[in-house]
Amino acid sequence: MSRLIAILAGLLLIVIAAVIVVPMLVPMETYKTKVAELVKTQTGRDLRIDGDIGLSFFPNIAVSIGDVGLSNADWARDSEMASMKEMRAALKLIPLFSGNVEVDSFILVDPIIHLEVRKDGTPNWQFETASSPAPTAEETPAEGGGGAAVNQLRLGEVSIQNGSATYRNAQTGASYAMESVNLDLAMPGLDEPFIADGSLVWNGDEINIDLNAERPRALTEGGETPVTLSISAPKISTSYEGKLKVIDGVAFAGQVDLDVSSVRELAAWAGNPMPAGEGFGPLAISGQASGTDNSYRFSDAKIGFDGMNATGDLAVTTGGTRPKVSGKLAVDKIDVNTYLADAGEGGSGASGGGSSGGDAGWSTEPIDLSGLKAVDADFTFSADQILVQKLKVGQSALKLALANGVLNANLSKLSLYEGQGSGKLTVNGASATPKIKADFTLAGLEAEPFLTDAADFSRLQGASAFDIAISTAGRSQRDMVSALDGKGSIKFANGKIKGINLAQLTRTVLSAATTGWQSGGSQDTDFSELGGTFTINNGILQNNDLKLLSPLVRVTGAGKVNMPAKTLDYRVEPKLAATLEGQGGETEATGIEVPILITGSWSNPRFAPDLKSMIQNRENIKKTIDSIKEDKGKSLLKGLMGEPANDTGASESGTDEKEKVSPEDALKKLFGQ
């Protein structure tokens, strides 16, 4: 028995010696030639081995190769598709007999990989292999058969040292480069955590990666495993903690936190630059996330974007021509100005009537809405505030759809300067010439702050209601104003015209034509009702039914407002009425008409009397004076002339308070004679 054991031991030593010694007896050049021939047969490419080859079979199956290169496709830019300074690999021999694979080491030193796609779509990793005959039935493994299954897989020292890779696509123009790739992997077993830790440089920025998969075996069997992943770089940092499945596509579900310093810079850094424009800056997202392939969903999400904060649900699809974002969000504010190239203080031509800035022309700076083509969107919003240039919209609910650069906003609830309403807005940035269309209905709107912000006009005060439908197109603010078309109606109630006293204005223009809003004095004109309808054609606003109602004063008017030129051509008829009725009173009440022509610029208009019309109306003047009762009529007439009323009811000369005033004398006083 002992002799048998000795014989077996001797044979084992001979086998071991053969395994160790025989590879040493074979010339290395033989290995190089055989390997190169095999690669040529299988890929049609040349394999270059300029360094040494080391090979052993005991106690580990180990191989080392130095200075290796694989030739590229003949049309590719780089001569070699892949190369490396050194590769070292060692596989433990003994565990293989029990179906276990233990990688003692696998190290790549200075690997370089060049991937490229030709204009016709051919990739350089498509090899020219000879077609092999289909396997026969005898050669085809039976279902459920095959080789022995791997019971265990362990990774020892596995690393990539100072690697680099490039990717170029002549079809799409995409070009990527990774440098300084350093990666360490560790996996004690399929049922123990797999850990990957490393870094690489992408487009000049270092990216650090830390991955931990709790149970790798589940990934190989089509199951899922808990995973944590963190990626940090100067332009983006993100972390994930949840489940992962990789068979039949990547699927995940878990907690995600994302922080991007600038979406615009991130897109450019990733090789997909966005069109020039404003906005798309800081982005922060946290919440429960799930996804498969190019579809991602966030629920209970908290989102911060360009200074706007939202909560709700969000879905992102990246597989189409452009990313599509959809969801239902509650937002603290929506700042449209962020995405307007000429945002800020409303451009250089925002001065309106009554302002001290003069009538600077409308801005000619190009309006760039190309940022609307960066993404598609389908959102339901509730917003506490919406900012559009200087306009401040309060609590609102809107449905927003953005597709192919066209934004449609349906505001089912609109709170605007104490008023309520609804409206629709379309902003078309798909073509070279931006287009805007708006249709709004509002009631209870406070006129002064609204008109100040919308048109820099601060001379009207009161609650207002209006319907407006307008559209325009243009490449600048001036072009848009010049192309403005539409119609509408507006009504102000219980307000005042600030800084204009109609009585003083009438007396002033009857003495001589005057210019400037200061012609009306510093006092205000109160009214109970002011309104009318209008049409707009190529920036020219036409109104034919202006009316103002207040006790003892009626005003009607008609004319044009040239918005591109910022000029007025208007005729108003202030009428001294013989009635104390205000709102709801008769517009056509009998009275003294003092027609006034208003012409010139918005900021410095010219006021002049329409004398011809006044004189033609002498009979009506006489009827009005006869109808005014006692002192009320005299005091009102004296107020129109700018004289103080007499509280005693008698004139300074002692004339009886019931003394009649002739039309001729009244006209002389009106003319300052």
Side-chain angles (χ1 to χ4, degrees), residues 587-653:
T587 306
E588 300 300 328
T590 303
I592 302 176
E593 294 183 5
V594 187
I596 300 174
L597 302 178
I598 306 174
T599 57
S601 66
W602 290 5
S603 62
N604 195 36
R606 182 176 186 272
F607 299 90
D610 188 351
L611 298 178
K612 181 178 179 181
S613 176
M614 286 180 57
I615 295 174
Q616 290 176 346
N617 200 29
R618 291 181 59 183
E619 181 63 28
N620 192 43
I621 294 174
K622 182 177 183 302
K623 291 180 180 179
T624 300
I625 295 175
D626 289 341
S627 67
I628 296 176
K629 304 292 185 178
E630 299 180 352
D631 183 60
K632 290 181 181 178
K634 291 184 178 180
S635 298
L636 189 60
L637 187 60
K638 289 183 178 181
L640 183 62
M641 302 305 157
E643 298 177 4
N646 192 324
D647 293 336
T648 62
S651 67
E652 296 179 1
S653 59

Side-chain angles (χ1 to χ4, degrees), residues 389-438:
Q389 292 191 340
K390 293 183 179 181
L391 287 176
K392 305 176 188 67
V393 182
Q395 286 189 344
S396 302
L398 68 152
K399 176 75 173 177
L400 184 150
L402 174 60
N404 301 318
V406 180
L407 173 67
N408 286 286
N410 186 351
L411 288 86
S412 57
K413 176 184 178 182
L414 178 61
S415 300
L416 188 65
Y417 297 89
E418 307 302 325
Q420 299 291 327
S422 61
K424 295 181 180 180
L425 173 67
T426 299
V427 181
N428 189 335
S431 60
T433 302
K435 301 177 182 179
I436 297 177
K437 183 179 180 181

Side-chain angles (χ1 to χ4, degrees), residues 69-106:
L70 178 65
S71 66
N72 214 336
D74 55 9
W75 50 265
R77 180 181 304 185
D78 300 286
S79 60
E80 292 186 330
M81 175 182 170
S83 64
M84 68 186 73
K85 184 177 181 180
E86 184 181 6
M87 182 196 77
R88 301 193 301 271
L91 182 67
K92 291 184 178 181
L93 179 61
I94 301 302
L96 290 176
F97 294 103
S98 59
N100 297 326
V101 177
E102 294 189 23
V103 178
D104 186 60
S105 64
F106 184 84

